[in-house]
Amino acid sequence: MKNIVKYTLILIALLTVSCKDFLDEDPKTLMSPDKTFASPQAFKLLANGIYAADNGAYHDNPDNIFLMCMPADDICSDRSEWDWEQSDRFTQSDGISRYDNDTWKMPFRAIVACNGIIDGYDQVPVKNDAEQALVNNVAGQAYFYRAHWLLFMSKFWGPIPMTLHNDGSVVKKSNVNDIFDQGIADLQKAEELLPELQTESDWISYDGFSMTPLKFAAKAWLAQAYLQSTGWPLFRTENYAKAAQKAKEVIDWANAHPTVLGLLPLDELNSGQGFWNKECVWGRGHTFNGDYTMKCSMGETPDEEVTGTGWATNLAEIKFFNDFPEGKRKEVTFRTTIWIEPNTDELKAELAALQATLSKAPGGSFGPDWPVRRWNGLRNNVTPNQCRYTWYNFNPDTDLAAGKFFWDERYRRWNVQVTWDDYIKNPDSRRHPYYAKYYFDDEADHTYVPSDRKYNADGSIDAWGWETRSLDAEFWRTGKLVPFMRYAEVLLIYAEAQAMANGLDQSCIDALNQVRARAEETRGLAKLGDYASKEDFQRAMFDERGWELCGLEMGNRWADLLRFERAKEMNSFRPSLGNWPDGRPKEKEINSEFFANEKKFYYLLIPAPEKQRTGFRDNDASVDPINPPEVD
């Protein structure tokens, strides 16, 4: 941290990095401070510094957020690389390289870039209202992102250095109360300065949505911060009312601007259609093929399908999956089947029978034209991971193994569909469902095929949604949108905060049901009489938030476990799941020390290189969750 703050000209260096996702300008030379603040257009270039560092933190590689929040009960891992399994079992270390650079240094670099804007935006000469609006726009983004990183880092690390000015001074860690207050003040300033709608063409996506935070995003993030503060470790219960108020302002704005902000159907939300979508309150967009950025996490890709390509680091917890309500939301949240090469005697026999059936076709052939499924030649390449399914003279009701086997032209092999928990047919599997959120590329045919496939008379598929693969090294890097917050979360914030602040009423139920309606679950919609008290409703909202915001949702589940101090409770079920037939435990054993003193593990460890540079100690929430320990 000392090194980051010491060099106040780091902001100038950041200006040489072109953040092509956000700005067309590409400064060719270093800009001096006098030129930087000489005009609104020159000042605008300072935003590059925010987004270059921001991109290097969690957006460039969203697997980092999984590593930070792996102790939550919605995700787990059996990979020891980069401390995935250790984080899942509460045995993590402070020596992970990506902790030091991506999850620690990069956010502080973004804060430094924000400071440079905040400290100088009132010096920029303006000639008219339009130029003043541009300056305010840039300054509002800086306040927003500084608040975001302060609050986000403190949520998971506790006391952190709070760098507010680039004056080269050595910064000590601040207490959590002060960090929260500063974050709220910055968000309030962002709310004041940010525009209602984006007018700057450089910050508008190809689909017309703003690629930078707007006024409603500041309100939404305020609502989230207020709600988080009502529980551990701050317990500011008076902020329920503030959270409800800010969330309601966002909801009212969305109702007045339904094409800009609102819920999407689940299959459209998760399909990857479009560069941006209206459910994103704010996030990070990526554009072109070749960027080392992705909508989907490579950690979610099954290595069973294409050995060596899928990382399979982020698995769904079995109990969390089992408790998840049945319905459309569960179908699109998880991947419960994978494609593998037939590797058991039973499957090989079934495949041989299928081949015999197909050999009766005209010409007696089987192969790419006869396995029921053909690749669509996306981008003129035969790509097994992006496919359009076409049926040829095949009766799925009578032909053997219909819809189970298909021909992979790329690897010249037959594949078979198996379920995640089929031990007999898939003995080498990781034996967990995978997450399917944001896993799909928008150039594929999004035809979701649930396990109970239905077909029309002409052989077309009669089902909603999508089923595509994004394992190819080219396509997993072709990201579109990594949302840091969705409108669904705003609705859930309002429902819970309104109930706790003002009593459970119909508006809480209505907000909840907007989210639940599209889930299409057998349990149906909520009713006011379903809950005995506001506390009972809040317990139900804990579950609802978990189901809606699980997986790649920027740490929401782990944050809720901390807020309600339920990390130990929600991680205590693993032994009850038992073992698989080969004796392998269904979930790995958790460090016993965690159950003896769970709060010791609430805050992440400070990266070892940072402790060596600064003398910082790790924050121990079991001793003091608010104040930093003294520096040695």
Side-chain angles (χ1 to χ4, degrees):
M1 189 61 210
K2 290 179 182 177
N3 288 341
I4 294 172
V5 180
K6 178 180 179 182
Y7 301 105
T8 60
L9 292 180
I10 189 171
L11 178 63
I12 305 302
L14 284 171
L15 292 176
T16 64
V17 180
S18 175
C19 189
K20 67 180 180 179
D21 295 331
F22 282 79
L23 295 173
D24 291 333
E25 291 88 350
D26 185 7
K28 304 300 182 183
T29 60
L30 289 173
M31 295 180 63
S32 62
D34 58 325
K35 291 181 180 179
T36 299
F37 298 100
S39 70
Q41 285 300 323
F43 179 67
K44 178 182 176 181
L45 295 180
L46 288 175
N48 276 326
I50 300 175
Y51 295 110
D54 181 68
N55 183 51
Y58 303 112
H59 298 297
D60 192 34
N61 189 343
D63 288 307
N64 290 335
I65 198 70
F66 276 103
L67 187 60
M68 290 174 59
C69 302
M70 187 63 69
D73 67 324
D74 58 336
I75 52 177
C76 63
S77 183
D78 60 2
R79 296 284 204 189
S80 61
E81 299 91 334
W82 298 326
D83 252 24
W84 294 102
E85 181 182 290
Q86 292 88 329
S87 295
D88 176 45
R89 300 175 60 201
F90 295 94
T91 60
Q92 61 265 48
S93 74
D94 60 4
I96 311 172
S97 60
R98 65 169 63 192
Y99 262 6
D100 184 40
N101 187 61
D102 296 345
T103 63
W104 183 267
K105 285 182 181 177
M106 285 296 181
F108 285 114
R109 288 177 182 173
I111 290 172
V112 169
C114 292
N115 291 343
I117 293 172
I118 292 169
D119 285 344
Y121 79 96
D122 58 353
Q123 304 170 24
V124 180
V126 296
K127 299 176 182 177
N128 50 50
D129 290 344
E131 290 189 346
Q132 185 62 63
L134 174 57
V135 171
N136 289 348
N137 196 335
V138 177
Q141 293 175 46
Y143 275 111
F144 181 92
Y145 273 96
R146 186 169 76 175
H148 158 62
W149 286 121
L150 287 174
L151 293 171
F152 191 80
M153 295 284 286
S154 182
K155 183 188 300 184
F156 299 114
W157 266 282
I160 60 168
M162 188 163 60
T163 313
L164 301 180
H165 302 284
N166 300 338
D167 56 9
S169 61
V170 174
V171 180
K172 298 181 179 180
K173 288 189 286 187
S174 297
N175 72 61
V176 174
N177 276 309
D178 290 345
I179 295 167
F180 177 81
D181 290 340
Q182 183 62 51
I184 294 300
D186 280 357
L187 283 173
Q188 291 170 338
K189 193 66 176 176
E191 181 184 10
E192 172 191 332
L193 294 173
L194 288 171
E196 292 275 350
L197 293 170
Q198 190 59 263
T199 58
E200 289 292 311
S201 60
D202 292 319
W203 295 324
I204 296 178
S205 79
Y206 299 109
D207 298 322
F209 293 98
S210 174
M211 297 168 62
T212 62
L214 298 175
K215 193 178 296 291
F216 69 77
K219 293 175 182 288
W221 197 246
L222 272 168
Q224 188 198 68
Y226 282 135
L227 183 65
Q228 188 71 30
S229 73
T230 60
W232 185 92
L234 297 179
F235 299 106
R236 297 189 184 185
T237 55
E238 70 276 10
N239 284 346
Y240 279 122
K242 297 177 182 179
Q245 176 187 340
K246 285 303 169 185
K248 183 62 164 57
E249 289 176 17
V250 177
I251 293 169
D252 290 343
W253 194 90
N255 290 337
H257 302 82
T259 62
V260 181
L261 186 63
L263 293 180
L264 289 174
L266 280 179
D267 48 356
E268 184 178 347
L269 173 67
N270 290 317
S271 71
Q273 296 280 4
F275 178 75
W276 209 264
N277 65 59
K278 71 174 186 177
E279 187 155 337
C280 183
V281 173
W282 70 286
R284 185 72 165 87
H286 302 290
T287 53
F288 299 114
N289 188 37
D291 287 348
Y292 194 79
T293 57
M294 61 276 199
K295 160 195 283 295
C296 60
S297 165
M298 193 61 170
E300 293 180 321
T301 54
D303 61 349
E304 296 99 327
E305 289 192 348
V306 184
T307 303
T309 301
W311 290 0
T313 53
N314 313 325
L315 310 172
E317 283 266 18
I318 294 175
K319 185 179 189 303
F320 186 87
F321 170 80
N322 289 340
D323 291 344
F324 202 109
E326 298 296 326
K328 182 174 180 178
R329 180 166 59 178
K330 187 171 186 176
E331 293 277 8
V332 302
T333 297
F334 302 101
R335 295 184 58 189
T336 57
T337 60
I338 57 177
W339 304 104
I340 64 171
E341 189 171 10
N343 60 354
T344 66
D345 291 340
E346 178 186 358
L347 289 178
K348 290 176 182 178
E350 288 188 48
L351 176 57
L354 174 61
Q355 291 172 334
T357 300
L358 295 177
S359 66
K360 299 175 183 177
S365 64
F366 64 90
D369 289 332
W370 280 101
V372 181
R373 300 173 182 271
R374 291 181 64 186
W375 308 126
N376 70 349
L378 182 64
R379 296 187 183 178
N380 300 316
N381 295 316
V382 177
T383 307
N385 307 313
Q386 303 291 325
C387 57
R388 181 173 288 113
Y389 303 149
T390 307
W391 293 81
Y392 295 98
N393 304 323
F394 200 87
N395 187 339
D397 295 322
T398 58
D399 289 338
L400 183 64
K404 182 189 295 183
F405 294 98
F406 72 96
W407 176 259
D408 184 336
E409 175 65 21
R410 181 186 183 190
Y411 292 98
R412 302 292 300 178
R413 78 182 193 192
W414 285 90
N415 283 357
V416 61
Q417 181 181 5
V418 296
T419 59
W420 70 273
D421 57 350
D422 191 336
Y423 169 77
I424 301 301
K425 294 183 178 179
N426 197 20
D428 298 324
S429 118
R430 312 212 81 80
R431 301 185 198 168
H432 282 77
Y434 288 92
Y435 275 99
K437 283 186 171 183
Y438 309 110
Y439 189 71
F440 309 97
D441 184 82
D442 76 338
E443 296 189 47
D445 176 39
H446 304 291
T447 305
Y448 174 70
V449 186
S451 56
D452 56 340
R453 291 180 173 85
K454 297 179 181 179
Y455 308 97
N456 300 319
D458 62 358
S460 61
I461 301 172
D462 180 18
W464 41 261
W466 35 254
E467 183 179 354
T468 56
R469 298 289 183 245
S470 293
L471 298 183
D472 183 83
E474 177 181 2
F475 288 102
W476 77 268
R477 299 165 187 239
T478 308
K480 290 295 183 284
L481 170 65
V482 177
F484 240 102
M485 191 178 197
R486 292 190 289 114
Y487 183 64
E489 183 180 352
V490 176
L491 292 168
L492 297 179
I493 289 173
Y494 174 78
E496 178 186 347
Q498 172 69 7
M500 297 306 293
N502 303 307
L504 179 59
D505 59 25
Q506 189 60 42
S507 71
C508 306
I509 302 299
D510 292 342
L512 167 59
N513 278 338
Q514 288 188 59
V515 177
R516 188 179 286 188
R518 70 172 181 178
E520 297 185 14
E521 296 167 347
T522 55
R523 61 190 179 127
L525 300 181
K527 299 183 292 295
L528 197 57
D530 292 343
Y531 309 98
S533 64
K534 66 181 183 180
E535 290 79 15
D536 185 35
F537 180 75
Q538 186 180 43
R539 284 189 288 271
M541 288 303 301
F542 171 81
D543 292 332
E544 195 73 39
R545 283 174 56 85
W547 296 324
E548 179 65 26
L549 304 174
C550 62
L552 185 54
E553 295 276 354
M554 300 304 169
N556 273 289
R557 181 62 173 180
W558 180 233
D560 274 355
L561 294 185
L562 297 181
R563 175 161 67 105
F564 289 107
E565 301 174 88
R566 296 183 65 179
K568 180 170 71 172
E569 173 193 351
M570 301 310 294
N571 277 286
S572 63
F573 302 101
R574 290 191 174 192
S576 66
L577 296 175
N579 299 333
W580 292 107
D582 64 352
R584 192 193 316 182
K586 291 186 177 181
E587 297 286 10
K588 292 294 184 72
E589 182 180 356
I590 287 179
N591 182 4
S592 60
E593 189 178 351
F594 165 73
F595 293 106
N597 187 8
E598 64 172 316
K599 286 189 173 63
K600 180 179 179 180
F601 298 86
Y602 272 19
Y603 287 146
L604 294 175
L605 301 176
I606 296 173
E610 181 69 4
K611 287 188 283 193
Q612 293 171 0
R613 288 189 293 263
T614 62
F616 287 160
R617 294 179 182 177
D618 289 320
N619 299 313
D620 187 343
S622 67
V623 175
D624 188 341
I626 303 297
N627 300 295
E630 292 182 357
V631 177
D632 289 329

